[in-house]
Amino acid sequence: MLMRIGCNFFLFLSIVLLPWWFTVFFALVFLFIFEAPEIFIWGFFMDTLYGVPLEIFFNIPFVFTLLFLSLFIITKHLKKYLVFYQITY
């Protein structure tokens, strides 16, 4: 439990201080270690801080929320099929 709280705190710091690509990478690692539905809250937090509707994303202002939702679904299904995935926290 303490490791999960620490990872959430580090994810918060990476959202505030680091570039977006580092935050997405850390969120992906976080999702592989834990089954973390709180990642949607962090995606919404990123979108409220930095999100602007871009034409390349069809003017959707919640790009990171949708990205983290898709990463959550993909990692949830992918963990079932990985042979080396034996991490239990």
Side-chain angles (χ1 to χ4, degrees):
M1 183 69 175
L2 190 61
M3 185 174 175
R4 188 169 182 162
I5 293 170
C7 285
N8 275 312
F9 180 70
F10 186 69
L11 189 60
F12 170 74
L13 287 178
S14 71
I15 288 171
V16 174
L17 300 174
L18 298 173
W20 66 269
W21 51 268
F22 185 80
T23 304
V24 171
F25 175 73
F26 184 69
L28 185 64
V29 171
F30 184 56
L31 284 172
F32 268 106
I33 294 174
F34 302 107
E35 187 143 341
E38 67 262 25
I39 203 78
F40 308 129
I41 297 169
W42 294 121
F44 183 72
F45 182 65
M46 279 183 75
D47 284 327
T48 55
L49 280 178
Y50 308 118
V52 294
L54 297 174
E55 190 173 322
I56 193 169
F57 297 119
F58 305 108
N59 292 328
I60 299 172
F62 298 108
V63 175
F64 286 109
T65 306
L66 294 175
L67 175 70
F68 287 166
L69 173 68
S70 62
L71 285 176
F72 179 76
I73 292 170
I74 289 169
T75 56
K76 186 173 176 123
H77 290 293
L78 190 63
K79 282 193 245 182
K80 296 176 187 175
Y81 300 108
L82 291 176
V83 175
F84 62 86
Y85 185 74
Q86 297 295 326
I87 299 175
T88 56
Y89 288 105

